[in-house]
Amino acid sequence: MTNDSELSGKHNLLTPFDYTLTVLGGKWKMKIMYQIACQKVLRYGELKRSILGITHKVLSSQLKELEESGIIKRVEYSQTPLKVEYSLTPKGKTLMPILEDMCKWGLQYLPDEQRIINNIRNE
Amino acid sequence: MTNDSELSGKHNLLTPFDYTLTVLGGKWKMKIMYQIACQKVLRYGELKRSILGITHKVLSSQLKELEESGIIKRVEYSQTPLKVEYSLTPKGKTLMPILEDMCKWGLQYLPDEQRIINNIRNE
DNA sequence: CCGCATCCAATTTGATACTG
DNA sequence: CAGTATCAAATTGGATGCGG
């Protein structure tokens, strides 16, 4: 670790851009947010099934970090069996335009050979 | 590897959103792009000095990937000592609005305690 | 100066089992 | 059902040296 945290001490100070990267960073956070946003509310298991390839451990740790960043809200219903629902917070919703722009950009630039969904209503 | 690539075969097919994540993904690519965009053109060494904490190995591998994705352009001048300049391609420039929005979002939501630059022309 | 290759350490991830 | 803990496996990261 030879980076910023050395310069800025224990409370690691960040530039605004780095803060956003911290909140959204990693391989899965944006995909998780995207899924939650699409469905408004999702239970843990539904979320897991909707994101191909993510593992139990990774999903739960990333959900926890997103919650700590104030991006998603976790509501636990004390039933048996347990039920937990995730949704975006207002703060989280303010990030959606960025994710949508990323999606639009991908639509424009994704090479056809790699496209997985190209036959939806092409007439 | 229990993910998409299994489902989609060797040419790993992607959704548009995943494509964007692939292009921009990782800890450093967006920061690299951001630096290049700010200066229009940067030599390798300048770039390295401008990004705190990045190592030689990581910077060069990420630059290569960005080049392969068509986001940055690499121009090599056959001098001794060697000189290489990096700049954004037109495709790369189309991503800048997204990076700028991320920066703006960070400005709004970065908690004051973590802010590293908060005294620039506050009157 | 730039960037690839190597070697080894550190971090992340996956599979599995366990708790409330 | 949701989440944590553990441990091995895989991936990434840093330091260094070589060659164009």
Side-chain angles (χ1 to χ4, degrees):
Chain A
M1 197 167 274
T2 318
N3 59 12
D4 319 50
S5 34
E6 273 197 24
L7 296 167
S8 40
K10 60 193 275 197
H11 293 302
N12 55 322
L13 303 179
L14 299 170
T15 64
F17 189 56
D18 288 333
Y19 173 64
T20 308
L21 286 179
T22 303
V23 169
L24 294 180
K27 194 175 166 186
W28 298 103
K29 291 208 183 120
M30 297 200 226
K31 291 175 91 161
I32 294 170
M33 285 184 61
Y34 206 81
Q35 283 302 320
I36 297 178
C38 289
Q39 311 291 328
K40 312 289 188 203
V41 176
L42 273 180
R43 295 185 57 175
Y44 177 87
E46 296 172 322
L47 195 46
K48 176 151 189 328
R49 264 169 273 126
S50 73
I51 302 179
L52 291 179
I54 198 166
T55 62
H56 189 37
K57 181 180 173 182
V58 171
L59 177 56
S60 54
S61 73
Q62 301 295 285
L63 282 170
K64 204 170 180 184
E65 287 177 27
L66 284 168
E67 196 193 349
E68 282 162 4
S69 303
I71 301 300
I72 63 176
K73 188 174 61 172
R74 178 183 183 278
V75 179
E76 180 174 331
Y77 298 87
S78 302
Q79 315 172 344
T80 334
L82 189 55
K83 171 176 165 183
V84 179
E85 286 183 343
Y86 290 96
S87 57
L88 292 187
T89 61
K91 180 177 175 184
K93 285 178 188 162
T94 62
L95 281 168
M96 289 310 297
I98 293 174
L99 299 197
E100 277 157 18
D101 285 347
M102 289 176 61
C103 197
K104 284 181 205 153
W105 187 89
L107 262 174
Q108 265 195 49
Y109 287 96
L110 173 57
D112 286 340
E113 324 84 71
Q114 294 179 218
R115 184 158 306 198
I116 198 168
I117 47 163
N118 62 353
N119 51 357
I120 304 173
R121 316 259 249 111
N122 262 351
E123 154 58 329
Chain B
M1 199 166 276
T2 319
N3 60 11
D4 320 51
S5 34
E6 273 195 25
L7 296 168
S8 39
K10 60 192 276 201
H11 293 303
N12 54 320
L13 304 179
L14 300 169
T15 64
F17 190 56
D18 288 333
Y19 172 65
T20 309
L21 285 180
T22 304
V23 170
L24 294 180
K27 193 176 166 185
W28 298 103
K29 290 208 184 116
M30 298 200 226
K31 292 175 90 162
I32 294 170
M33 285 184 61
Y34 206 82
Q35 282 303 319
I36 297 179
C38 289
Q39 311 290 328
K40 312 286 188 209
V41 176
L42 272 180
R43 296 187 56 176
Y44 177 88
E46 295 172 324
L47 195 47
K48 177 153 191 323
R49 264 171 273 125
S50 74
I51 303 177
L52 290 179
I54 199 168
T55 62
H56 186 38
K57 180 182 175 181
V58 172
L59 178 55
S60 52
S61 73
Q62 301 296 286
L63 282 170
K64 202 171 180 183
E65 287 177 27
L66 284 168
E67 196 193 350
E68 282 163 2
S69 302
I71 301 300
I72 62 176
K73 186 175 61 173
R74 178 183 183 279
V75 180
E76 180 174 332
Y77 298 87
S78 302
Q79 315 170 344
T80 335
L82 190 55
K83 171 175 164 182
V84 179
E85 286 183 342
Y86 291 95
S87 57
L88 292 187
T89 61
K91 180 178 175 184
K93 285 179 188 160
T94 63
L95 281 167
M96 289 310 296
I98 292 174
L99 299 197
E100 277 156 17
D101 285 347
M102 290 178 61
C103 197
K104 284 181 204 151
W105 187 91
L107 263 174
Q108 264 194 50
Y109 287 95
L110 173 57
D112 285 340
E113 323 83 73
Q114 294 179 219
R115 185 159 304 198
I116 199 167
I117 47 163
N118 61 354
N119 52 358
I120 304 174
R121 313 260 248 114
N122 262 351
E123 159 53 324

PDB file of all heavy atoms in Angstrom, chain A residues 68-80:
ATOM      1  N   GLU A  68     -23.672   0.444   3.487  1.00  0.00           N
ATOM      2  CA  GLU A  68     -22.863   1.364   4.286  1.00  0.00           C
ATOM      3  C   GLU A  68     -22.608   2.689   3.567  1.00  0.00           C
ATOM      4  O   GLU A  68     -22.450   3.726   4.207  1.00  0.00           O
ATOM      5  CB  GLU A  68     -21.522   0.703   4.653  1.00  0.00           C
ATOM      6  CG  GLU A  68     -21.677  -0.287   5.802  1.00  0.00           C
ATOM      7  CD  GLU A  68     -20.509  -1.262   5.905  1.00  0.00           C
ATOM      8  OE1 GLU A  68     -19.548  -1.130   5.128  1.00  0.00           O
ATOM      9  OE2 GLU A  68     -20.578  -2.175   6.769  1.00  0.00           O
ATOM     10  N   SER A  69     -22.579   2.645   2.253  1.00  0.00           N
ATOM     11  CA  SER A  69     -22.406   3.883   1.491  1.00  0.00           C
ATOM     12  C   SER A  69     -23.708   4.658   1.368  1.00  0.00           C
ATOM     13  O   SER A  69     -23.741   5.725   0.764  1.00  0.00           O
ATOM     14  CB  SER A  69     -21.901   3.576   0.079  1.00  0.00           C
ATOM     15  OG  SER A  69     -20.700   2.860   0.110  1.00  0.00           O
ATOM     16  N   GLY A  70     -24.787   4.102   1.877  1.00  0.00           N
ATOM     17  CA  GLY A  70     -26.075   4.801   1.800  1.00  0.00           C
ATOM     18  C   GLY A  70     -26.733   4.730   0.443  1.00  0.00           C
ATOM     19  O   GLY A  70     -27.577   5.555   0.108  1.00  0.00           O
ATOM     20  N   ILE A  71     -26.371   3.721  -0.337  1.00  0.00           N
ATOM     21  CA  ILE A  71     -26.907   3.599  -1.691  1.00  0.00           C
ATOM     22  C   ILE A  71     -28.144   2.713  -1.726  1.00  0.00           C
ATOM     23  O   ILE A  71     -29.060   2.946  -2.496  1.00  0.00           O
ATOM     24  CB  ILE A  71     -25.827   2.985  -2.627  1.00  0.00           C
ATOM     25  CG1 ILE A  71     -24.580   3.864  -2.646  1.00  0.00           C
ATOM     26  CG2 ILE A  71     -26.374   2.782  -4.030  1.00  0.00           C
ATOM     27  CD1 ILE A  71     -24.826   5.253  -3.129  1.00  0.00           C
ATOM     28  N   ILE A  72     -28.140   1.683  -0.920  1.00  0.00           N
ATOM     29  CA  ILE A  72     -29.308   0.812  -0.878  1.00  0.00           C
ATOM     30  C   ILE A  72     -29.838   0.698   0.549  1.00  0.00           C
ATOM     31  O   ILE A  72     -29.124   0.940   1.515  1.00  0.00           O
ATOM     32  CB  ILE A  72     -29.007  -0.609  -1.417  1.00  0.00           C
ATOM     33  CG1 ILE A  72     -27.964  -1.294  -0.547  1.00  0.00           C
ATOM     34  CG2 ILE A  72     -28.569  -0.555  -2.851  1.00  0.00           C
ATOM     35  CD1 ILE A  72     -27.693  -2.725  -0.957  1.00  0.00           C
ATOM     36  N   LYS A  73     -31.111   0.338   0.625  1.00  0.00           N
ATOM     37  CA  LYS A  73     -31.766   0.191   1.907  1.00  0.00           C
ATOM     38  C   LYS A  73     -32.093  -1.284   2.113  1.00  0.00           C
ATOM     39  O   LYS A  73     -32.513  -1.968   1.184  1.00  0.00           O
ATOM     40  CB  LYS A  73     -33.063   1.008   1.916  1.00  0.00           C
ATOM     41  CG  LYS A  73     -33.729   1.071   3.272  1.00  0.00           C
ATOM     42  CD  LYS A  73     -34.937   2.015   3.237  1.00  0.00           C
ATOM     43  CE  LYS A  73     -35.986   1.544   2.235  1.00  0.00           C
ATOM     44  NZ  LYS A  73     -37.231   2.323   2.304  1.00  0.00           N
ATOM     45  N   ARG A  74     -31.880  -1.775   3.311  1.00  0.00           N
ATOM     46  CA  ARG A  74     -32.119  -3.171   3.634  1.00  0.00           C
ATOM     47  C   ARG A  74     -33.237  -3.238   4.658  1.00  0.00           C
ATOM     48  O   ARG A  74     -33.170  -2.601   5.713  1.00  0.00           O
ATOM     49  CB  ARG A  74     -30.842  -3.764   4.240  1.00  0.00           C
ATOM     50  CG  ARG A  74     -30.954  -5.203   4.665  1.00  0.00           C
ATOM     51  CD  ARG A  74     -29.649  -5.640   5.326  1.00  0.00           C
ATOM     52  NE  ARG A  74     -29.693  -7.045   5.682  1.00  0.00           N
ATOM     53  CZ  ARG A  74     -30.272  -7.515   6.790  1.00  0.00           C
ATOM     54  NH1 ARG A  74     -30.854  -6.705   7.630  1.00  0.00           N
ATOM     55  NH2 ARG A  74     -30.264  -8.814   7.039  1.00  0.00           N
ATOM     56  N   VAL A  75     -34.275  -3.996   4.336  1.00  0.00           N
ATOM     57  CA  VAL A  75     -35.385  -4.141   5.276  1.00  0.00           C
ATOM     58  C   VAL A  75     -35.578  -5.612   5.590  1.00  0.00           C
ATOM     59  O   VAL A  75     -35.754  -6.438   4.693  1.00  0.00           O
ATOM     60  CB  VAL A  75     -36.700  -3.574   4.690  1.00  0.00           C
ATOM     61  CG1 VAL A  75     -37.829  -3.754   5.687  1.00  0.00           C
ATOM     62  CG2 VAL A  75     -36.520  -2.106   4.354  1.00  0.00           C
ATOM     63  N   GLU A  76     -35.506  -5.923   6.866  1.00  0.00           N
ATOM     64  CA  GLU A  76     -35.602  -7.317   7.286  1.00  0.00           C
ATOM     65  C   GLU A  76     -36.951  -7.570   7.956  1.00  0.00           C
ATOM     66  O   GLU A  76     -37.335  -6.867   8.878  1.00  0.00           O
ATOM     67  CB  GLU A  76     -34.462  -7.601   8.275  1.00  0.00           C
ATOM     68  CG  GLU A  76     -34.442  -9.015   8.791  1.00  0.00           C
ATOM     69  CD  GLU A  76     -33.218  -9.292   9.658  1.00  0.00           C
ATOM     70  OE1 GLU A  76     -32.166  -8.661   9.436  1.00  0.00           O
ATOM     71  OE2 GLU A  76     -33.327 -10.140  10.565  1.00  0.00           O
ATOM     72  N   TYR A  77     -37.651  -8.589   7.475  1.00  0.00           N
ATOM     73  CA  TYR A  77     -38.920  -8.979   8.072  1.00  0.00           C
ATOM     74  C   TYR A  77     -38.673 -10.179   8.969  1.00  0.00           C
ATOM     75  O   TYR A  77     -38.201 -11.214   8.500  1.00  0.00           O
ATOM     76  CB  TYR A  77     -39.940  -9.349   6.998  1.00  0.00           C
ATOM     77  CG  TYR A  77     -40.250  -8.191   6.083  1.00  0.00           C
ATOM     78  CD1 TYR A  77     -39.466  -7.962   4.957  1.00  0.00           C
ATOM     79  CD2 TYR A  77     -41.309  -7.326   6.348  1.00  0.00           C
ATOM     80  CE1 TYR A  77     -39.734  -6.891   4.108  1.00  0.00           C
ATOM     81  CE2 TYR A  77     -41.582  -6.251   5.513  1.00  0.00           C
ATOM     82  CZ  TYR A  77     -40.790  -6.045   4.391  1.00  0.00           C
ATOM     83  OH  TYR A  77     -41.055  -4.991   3.563  1.00  0.00           O
ATOM     84  N   SER A  78     -39.000 -10.029  10.234  1.00  0.00           N
ATOM     85  CA  SER A  78     -38.689 -11.103  11.185  1.00  0.00           C
ATOM     86  C   SER A  78     -39.700 -12.226  11.107  1.00  0.00           C
ATOM     87  O   SER A  78     -40.535 -12.408  11.980  1.00  0.00           O
ATOM     88  CB  SER A  78     -38.649 -10.547  12.610  1.00  0.00           C
ATOM     89  OG  SER A  78     -37.695  -9.523  12.694  1.00  0.00           O
ATOM     90  N   GLN A  79     -39.611 -12.947  10.026  1.00  0.00           N
ATOM     91  CA  GLN A  79     -40.466 -14.116   9.840  1.00  0.00           C
ATOM     92  C   GLN A  79     -39.587 -15.352   9.887  1.00  0.00           C
ATOM     93  O   GLN A  79     -38.384 -15.258   9.913  1.00  0.00           O
ATOM     94  CB  GLN A  79     -41.108 -14.094   8.449  1.00  0.00           C
ATOM     95  CG  GLN A  79     -41.679 -12.782   8.021  1.00  0.00           C
ATOM     96  CD  GLN A  79     -42.102 -12.825   6.568  1.00  0.00           C
ATOM     97  OE1 GLN A  79     -41.708 -13.723   5.820  1.00  0.00           O
ATOM     98  NE2 GLN A  79     -42.924 -11.874   6.169  1.00  0.00           N
ATOM     99  N   THR A  80     -40.251 -16.500   9.846  1.00  0.00           N
ATOM    100  CA  THR A  80     -39.524 -17.711   9.506  1.00  0.00           C
ATOM    101  C   THR A  80     -40.283 -18.351   8.355  1.00  0.00           C
ATOM    102  O   THR A  80     -41.473 -18.603   8.511  1.00  0.00           O
ATOM    103  CB  THR A  80     -39.493 -18.720  10.663  1.00  0.00           C
ATOM    104  OG1 THR A  80     -39.640 -18.014  11.886  1.00  0.00           O
ATOM    105  CG2 THR A  80     -38.236 -19.524  10.655  1.00  0.00           C
TER     106      THR A  80
END
